[in-house]
């Protein structure tokens, strides 16, 4: 979810909107294009009030700073208890605290990354594109419905289901005490030992596709893995063990 894409959609729908940004060059360029954008730190109450947050029906928070995101959500909710807050976050683990602060809908980037990888896996199985699009639509519908109904528990990983026998694409996070940490994919040899394939690794918001055997794993890495559901579960349980 990109902030400018949201603004473009609002314009096409004839919905009045205003944008806030901390990058002066972005503000200048967008103003030159006629966009209603202002320079300002949205974590500050006065800036949100200047943007008329108290009268807004919906606010979209789409920045990459987790601390600032939490601050904006808390302040916006306090200034306007009736506002509908849609928040983008990088990680699924941020969903629970954001929900407690007042976010109504939370969209983690990990989910969309999983959907993208998943669609490529389907293409590799020679599934027709129209069928892939239908499955992806179903996944997004189910996933975002889950995010909208988020209450007390926020999952630390999200498994994607597909209509192919014995195949599952899942996200697996490396916890701090995992026996997998600081080992290379070659040392672990997950394909030989468990029959699963690591399609990509997410680290510090960067995705490495088709990682080679020399790549080391570190705490908080997210693995996008393909394999039999029972093997995925087996590896997920191993990840949780501590040394």
């Amino acid at each position: 979810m990109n902030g400018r894409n949201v603004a473009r959609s609002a314009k096409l729908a004839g919905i009045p909107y205003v944008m806030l940004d901390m990058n002066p060059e972005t503000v200048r360029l967008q103003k030159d294009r006629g966009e209603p954008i202002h320079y300002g730190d949205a974590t500050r109450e006065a800036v949100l009030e200047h943007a008329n947050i108290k009268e807004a029906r919906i606010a979209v928070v789409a920045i990459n700073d987790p601390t600032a995101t939490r601050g904006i959500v808390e302040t916006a909710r306090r200034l306007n208890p009736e506002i509908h807050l849609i928040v983008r976050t990088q990680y699924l683990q941020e969903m629970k605290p954001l929900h407690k602060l007042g976010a109504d809908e939370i969209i983690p980037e990990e989910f969309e990354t999983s959907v993208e990888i998943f669609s490529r896996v389907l293409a590799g199985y020679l599934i027709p594109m129209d069928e892939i699009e239908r499955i992806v639509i179903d996944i997004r519908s189910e996933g975002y419905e889950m995010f909208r109904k988020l209450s007390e528990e926020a999952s630390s990983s999200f498994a994607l289901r597909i209509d192919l026998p014995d195949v599952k694409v899942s996200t697996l996070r490396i916890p701090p005490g995992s026996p997998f940490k600081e080992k290379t994919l070659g040392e672990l040899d997950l394909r030989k030992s468990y029959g699963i394939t690591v399609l990509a690794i997410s680290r510090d918001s960067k995705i490495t596709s088709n990682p080679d055997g020399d790549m080391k794993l570190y705490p908080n890495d997210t693995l996008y893995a393909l394999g039999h559901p029972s093997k995925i579960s087996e590896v997920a349980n191993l990840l949780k063990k501590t040394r």
Side-chain angles (χ1 to χ4, degrees), residues 13-179:
I15 299 171
Y17 64 94
V18 64
M19 295 186 290
L20 293 172
D21 202 293
M22 286 286 290
N23 186 322
E25 183 64 16
T26 298
V27 173
R28 185 186 67 79
L29 288 173
Q30 293 301 316
K31 275 191 173 181
D32 289 346
R33 295 171 181 171
E35 292 288 353
I37 187 170
H38 303 290
Y39 175 82
D41 182 355
T43 63
R44 298 180 61 182
E45 185 172 318
V47 172
L48 288 180
E49 288 182 333
H50 181 72
N52 205 24
I53 192 71
K54 292 182 178 179
E55 301 298 324
R57 294 176 59 183
I58 297 174
V60 178
V61 184
I63 60 176
N64 294 325
D65 184 333
T67 301
T69 296
R70 294 187 189 190
I72 294 169
V73 169
E74 187 278 329
T75 304
R77 175 60 66 205
R78 177 165 45 82
L79 293 175
N80 185 347
E82 303 301 319
I83 197 170
H84 188 85
L85 290 171
I86 303 173
V87 184
R88 184 196 70 190
T89 183
Q90 291 178 297
Y91 303 117
L92 289 165
Q93 65 189 21
E94 285 289 313
M95 293 175 67
K96 186 173 182 179
L98 286 170
H99 175 74
K100 286 186 175 181
L101 288 170
D104 294 292
E105 298 186 46
I106 306 161
I107 303 173
E109 290 182 351
E110 282 185 347
F111 177 75
E112 282 300 330
T113 301
S114 296
V115 171
E116 175 63 23
I117 291 173
F118 170 70
S119 64
R120 294 184 186 186
V121 170
L122 289 183
Y125 276 87
L126 303 180
I127 303 298
M129 283 306 300
D130 59 342
E131 182 68 8
I132 292 175
E133 291 172 1
R134 182 192 66 77
I135 295 172
V136 167
I137 288 172
D138 288 345
I139 289 171
R140 282 200 171 105
S141 175
E142 179 182 341
Y144 288 127
E145 184 64 23
M146 178 190 75
F147 300 149
R148 282 191 288 270
K149 292 181 178 178
L150 179 68
S151 54
E152 292 301 315
E153 295 297 326
S155 171
S156 62
S157 65
F158 188 84
L160 296 177
R161 298 189 298 278
I162 58 179
D163 298 325
L164 290 172
D166 302 327
V167 175
K168 182 179 183 181
V169 179
S170 296
T171 59
L172 300 168
R173 188 182 298 281
I174 306 295
S178 173

